[in-house]
Amino acid sequence: MSSVMLNSSIDLTIPEWLQKCLTESPADDRRQSEIALIRHAFEFAYQLHQGQYRKSGEAYICHPMAVAGLLRDFGGSAAMIAAGFLHDVVEDTDVTCDEIEYHFGAEVRRLVEGVTKLSKLDFKSKTENQAENFRRMFLAMAQDIRVIVVKLADRLHNMRTLQHLREEKRRRIALETREIFAPLANRLGMWRVKSELEDLAFKYLEPDAYEQVLQYVAQKQANRQQRLSKSTEIVLTRLQQAGIQCLEVSGRSKHLYSIYQKMLLPHKEFHEIYDLAGLRIIVRTHEECYRALAVVHDIFRPIPGHFRDYIGLPKPNGYQSLHTAVVSSTGKLLEVQIRTLEMDYLADYGITAFWRLVHSLDTNRLHQQKLNEFAWLNELVACNEEIRDASEYMQSIKNDLTMEEVYVFTPKGDLISLPTKSTPVDFAYKIHTNLGNRLAKVKINGEDANEITMLTTGDTVEIQTDSNAEPKLGWVKAVATNKAKNAIRRWHKNKYASESKSKLLNSYIVPVVNLSFVCVDRIGILKDVIEKFYRYQINVQGVHVETNTNGIAKINLCIETNDAEKLNECVKEISRISDILDFRVVEL
Ligand code: MN
C-alpha cells in the first residue's frame, strides 16, 4: 500500500470520513480490503488530478472527493466510492480503462467506464444528438443502475458549485438537471437528491421567484414551527395512549420548488401554500401505520380526497407511506405522512437505501421488490428504440420520466400500473402487443365501455379480442403511453406497406409530380413535411390537405423538380416521420 503523498502547497481539506479511512486499520479482513480500495482510489485520483483546478479555483480533486463522499452517504459500496474518486480520471487524464481495471478490478472499471461514456456525451449539441445521448444513457442504466447513481452524485456536486460557471452554461446545465436528472432521481426513488436538484435548478432558472419563495418561507418559519409543535404534542400523547410505539414525529417543510409549483396552480391563495405544514410519523410496523392513521383521524378532522394508501399500492419507484390531510387544532391544513423506518429510508434514498439496508434487514424480499420496480427502465429502452425522430424521442423520455400513475386490475386481480390518462387501449398494449392489436370490446368493472375511456385507480379492466379486429388510428391521439402509440402506428405502417409495396419511387420523368402522404392528423404535421422539401431545396407548387373523422389526414402536394434522386431522398426522409403512414405518387 503506497503512502499518501499530499502536496502541501495545495490547501486541501480532507473530510473526516476520508481522514479516518486513510489512518484506520481494522482487524476485519473484508473491511480492511474495502478501506485499502478506497484509499488507493483516492491517492491515485489525487496524483493524477494534481495541477488541475476547477472554475472556482479549488484543486480539482475536491470534486471527485465530494462525489465519493456523496456516494458514501447514499450507502454505496467501496467499489462505488472508489468509482466516485476515479470518475473523471479517464476523461481528464491519460489513464485508460484497462489501467483502472489493473489497479482496482473489473467492477470499478465498469462503473468508471460507464460514467465516462456518459460524460463524453455532448449535451449541448442539437436535439438530434441529444436524443442519441439519452438513448445511450438509458442503455447504460439498464446494464448497471449504479452508473446512474454515480452520475447523479456527480451532477449534484456540479449543481452545488454551479455559481462559478458562466451564465449561459449555468442555464443549460440547470435546465438539463430539471428536465432529465431530477426526474431520474425521482424514478430511482432518491427523493432527497431529487428535491435538492430541483431547488438548485430553480435557483438558477427563475432567480427572482426563487428569492421570493425563500423569503416567504423564512418569514413564516417561526409561526409554522409553533403550530407544528402543538400538533406534534397532541399526536404523540394520543399515540402513546393507544399503545402505539412511535419512533419519531417530525415536522417538515416542503422544498422550495414544490412550493413554487403550487404557486403556479390556478386558484391558490398565497397563504394557503406558504402555511402548508407537514407532519411525519414513524412507527414500527405496517399494522401500526394504519392504527396511527385511525388515531390521527380521530384527533383531527380529515379532509376528503386527500387520503392515499401507498403502503397497499406503492408508487412505481417503490415509495411507501400513508398520506392524509387534516384540519389541525389551529384550523389550518396539516399534511400527515405515516410510515415505518424502513419506508422512510426508502423514501429519502430510494434505490440506494437498499444498499444501506443490506446489512440490517430482510434483504431477499427487498431485492425482489426492487427488481420488479425497475421493470419500467427496460420498457423505456425498448420503447424508445422504435422512435426514430429525435425531438419526439426527447419528448417521450420527458413524458415517461414525469408521469404519474393509476393502478388498475386484470380480471384475475393482477395489479397493472399505467400513467394517468391511460385508456383500456394502453392497458391492453401494456399486457401484450397482440392484445392491443386484436382488441374488440372492453369492459370496465363488468360494464361495457369505450376503448378510450380514461381509467381511474381501482378499475378492473377486461379486454375481449377478435382475430379480425384492427387497432383504430384515431386511438393514437387518445392513448397515454408511448408503447401503445408506437404499436398502433407500427401496425398501420405494416398494413400500408404490404398493400402498396411496388408502386413507390419509380424514377420520375416529368418535372411536375403529384405526391400524396397519408398521415396521423396532428398539429404541425404539414409543417414537418414542407420543411423537408425546403431543406432539400425542392419547389412545392401547391398543397392540399384532406382530413376525415378517424384521425387520418391526406397531404397532397404538387412538386416541381428535375432531380429524381434528390426527390427520392427527400421522400424517404419524410416517410421516416413516425406519423407518416403511407406515400404514393398520384397518376395525372
Ligand atoms: Mn465529474
Side-chain angles (χ1 to χ4, degrees):
M1 189 72 239
S2 61
S3 64
V4 202
M5 292 187 296
L6 297 184
N7 183 339
S8 57
S9 70
I10 293 174
D11 180 21
L12 187 63
T13 320
I14 304 223
E16 204 177 308
W17 70 270
L18 182 56
Q19 197 77 259
K20 223 174 127 199
C21 256
L22 294 173
T23 50
E24 193 184 5
S25 51
D28 175 0
D29 274 0
R30 215 187 84 180
R31 182 80 194 125
Q32 180 99 50
S33 68
E34 283 175 0
I35 283 192
L37 179 65
I38 293 171
R39 203 184 280 173
H40 189 190
F42 166 65
E43 288 165 6
F44 194 78
Y46 178 81
Q47 271 156 28
L48 284 165
H49 286 302
Q50 241 173 9
Q52 296 177 341
Y53 296 90
R54 301 201 91 207
K55 282 273 184 323
S56 61
E58 279 180 311
Y60 194 88
I61 189 68
C62 291
H63 168 62
M65 201 159 69
V67 172
L70 281 168
L71 289 166
R72 182 181 166 274
D73 293 343
F74 295 167
S77 62
M80 284 187 75
I81 298 172
F85 281 120
L86 300 167
H87 82 271
D88 278 332
V89 154
V90 175
E91 170 101 41
D92 293 346
T93 75
D94 299 332
V95 171
T96 64
C97 289
D98 286 340
E99 283 170 82
I100 299 278
E101 181 165 351
Y102 173 78
H103 288 289
F104 303 99
E107 192 186 0
V108 176
R109 181 223 174 106
R110 263 203 316 277
L111 293 172
V112 173
E113 201 170 19
V115 178
T116 306
K117 277 185 192 154
L118 291 183
S119 321
K120 280 210 183 114
L121 308 179
D122 183 7
F123 287 113
K124 69 174 165 247
S125 57
K126 57 184 198 307
T127 321
E128 200 148 325
N129 294 340
Q130 214 180 9
E132 181 54 31
N133 289 344
F134 286 113
R135 205 188 305 252
R136 271 149 68 186
M137 180 150 92
F138 288 113
L139 283 170
M141 274 172 81
Q143 278 155 16
D144 191 340
I145 219 150
R146 294 176 309 168
V147 169
I148 290 302
V149 176
V150 178
K151 184 70 200 170
L152 282 172
D154 179 42
R155 175 54 58 119
L156 183 55
H157 185 248
N158 284 336
M159 284 299 288
R160 283 179 181 175
T161 51
L162 201 62
Q163 76 268 25
H164 303 292
L165 300 185
R166 273 181 300 111
E167 159 78 17
E168 186 199 305
K169 206 168 176 193
R170 273 198 307 232
R171 285 198 71 84
R172 177 175 65 73
I173 293 176
L175 191 64
E176 189 183 276
T177 299
R178 175 182 289 172
E179 290 189 333
I180 302 291
F181 289 96
L184 262 180
N186 185 37
R187 269 315 187 112
L188 297 180
M190 300 169 73
W191 187 84
R192 284 200 180 200
V193 174
K194 176 227 174 202
S195 29
E196 190 177 346
L197 286 175
E198 276 184 349
D199 278 356
L200 286 164
F202 179 32
K203 181 173 163 185
Y204 291 104
L205 290 172
E206 292 98 10
D208 296 343
Y210 177 84
E211 274 307 314
Q212 195 194 353
V213 175
L214 198 65
Q215 275 178 24
Y216 268 106
V217 170
Q219 275 171 24
K220 301 270 177 180
Q221 180 82 6
N223 188 292
R224 191 174 47 233
Q225 281 313 0
Q226 210 181 3
R227 274 190 291 129
L228 267 176
S229 62
K230 224 184 247 169
S231 302
T232 307
E233 232 181 84
I234 303 172
V235 168
L236 257 178
T237 318
R238 290 288 300 271
L239 286 175
Q240 258 167 11
Q241 285 169 0
I244 298 167
Q245 196 187 335
C246 180
L247 302 174
E248 193 187 325
V249 176
S250 58
R252 61 198 171 80
S253 55
K254 290 195 154 309
H255 74 289
L256 299 178
Y257 186 58
S258 73
I259 293 174
Y260 178 62
Q261 280 177 312
K262 287 214 165 142
M263 272 170 55
L264 297 179
L265 294 174
H267 318 303
K268 279 275 176 191
E269 297 289 329
F270 265 29
H271 69 88
E272 267 180 76
I273 298 156
Y274 294 116
D275 285 350
L276 269 185
L279 203 63
R280 183 171 298 157
I281 301 171
I282 311 284
V283 293
R284 286 171 311 173
T285 63
H286 286 209
E287 193 241 328
E288 280 185 341
C289 289
Y290 291 100
R291 283 175 55 209
L293 175 77
V295 170
V296 170
H297 281 184
D298 191 33
I299 308 172
F300 306 118
R301 187 163 52 81
I303 297 169
H306 281 261
F307 173 64
R308 299 271 182 284
D309 181 358
Y310 293 119
I311 294 180
L313 295 170
K315 285 191 185 179
N317 65 13
Y319 177 87
Q320 285 189 299
S321 188
L322 297 179
H323 287 191
T324 187
V326 296
V327 182
S328 74
S329 43
T330 51
K332 301 233 162 133
L333 181 86
L334 179 68
E335 290 183 339
V336 184
Q337 299 178 341
I338 305 169
R339 51 173 85 146
T340 65
L341 200 57
E342 180 187 330
M343 292 173 198
D344 197 43
Y345 269 135
L346 283 168
D348 278 354
Y349 295 102
I351 180 151
T352 62
F354 167 59
W355 302 323
R356 253 168 195 270
L357 295 167
V358 155
H359 303 294
S360 58
L361 290 167
D362 178 1
T363 51
N364 252 340
R365 188 173 57 78
L366 266 178
H367 190 60
Q368 199 45 53
Q369 194 185 331
K370 282 286 142 205
L371 285 182
N372 294 338
E373 278 155 20
F374 291 100
W376 60 267
L377 194 54
N378 290 322
E379 270 170 40
L380 202 57
V381 174
C383 170
N384 287 320
E385 270 164 5
E386 290 166 2
I387 302 174
R388 293 209 203 86
D389 185 83
S391 57
E392 226 176 274
Y393 178 77
M394 289 302 294
Q395 203 45 54
S396 75
I397 286 178
K398 284 174 198 167
N399 291 346
D400 281 349
L401 283 175
T402 49
M403 66 192 179
E404 291 283 318
E405 313 272 324
V406 292
Y407 302 89
V408 295
F409 297 95
T410 67
K412 281 184 185 162
D414 290 332
L415 183 67
I416 305 279
S417 71
L418 290 163
T420 47
K421 300 192 179 160
S422 282
T423 66
V425 176
D426 293 290
F427 172 88
Y429 277 108
K430 167 110 185 191
I431 292 172
H432 196 281
T433 307
N434 275 334
L435 190 63
N437 286 343
R438 294 188 181 156
L439 183 152
K441 238 179 125 191
V442 172
K443 283 189 171 183
I444 299 176
N445 303 326
E447 308 215 342
D448 288 341
N450 189 292
E451 311 93 309
I452 51 172
T453 315
M454 223 177 272
L455 294 172
T456 51
T457 291
D459 283 344
T460 296
V461 187
E462 187 185 342
I463 304 291
Q464 291 169 4
T465 57
D466 180 336
S467 56
N468 293 322
E470 299 185 351
K472 292 180 195 151
L473 247 182
W475 292 349
V476 168
K477 281 160 104 181
V479 297
T481 55
N482 288 311
K483 188 171 183 194
K485 269 195 184 79
N486 292 331
I488 297 164
R489 283 189 189 124
R490 199 172 46 231
W491 190 92
H492 281 275
K493 265 198 167 168
N494 290 342
K495 185 183 163 207
Y496 274 111
S498 55
E499 277 174 5
S500 61
K501 207 142 223 166
S502 56
K503 66 183 164 38
L504 302 177
L505 303 182
N506 300 316
S507 60
Y508 310 109
I509 37 167
V510 285
V512 175
V513 191
N514 284 322
L515 300 177
S516 173
F517 292 92
V518 179
C519 58
V520 176
D521 185 11
R522 67 152 162 87
I523 292 167
I525 184 74
L526 182 61
K527 178 188 135 268
D528 291 352
V529 171
I530 300 288
E531 216 165 54
K532 298 285 182 200
F533 284 105
Y534 175 76
R535 207 177 300 157
Y536 277 86
Q537 307 253 298
I538 295 171
N539 190 14
V540 178
Q541 287 193 330
V543 183
H544 172 67
V545 182
E546 299 165 39
T547 53
N548 60 23
T549 46
N550 65 359
I552 304 188
K554 214 186 222 180
I555 302 176
N556 301 309
L557 297 154
C558 182
I559 302 298
E560 184 180 8
T561 181
N562 286 315
D563 192 340
E565 207 174 307
K566 199 159 83 173
L567 182 58
N568 265 320
E569 279 303 308
C570 178
V571 167
K572 241 190 247 164
E573 206 171 290
I574 292 171
S575 307
R576 276 200 285 266
I577 299 173
S578 51
D579 281 329
I580 298 288
L581 302 168
D582 188 30
F583 140 81
R584 54 193 81 193
V585 179
V586 182
E587 306 295 336
L588 287 170

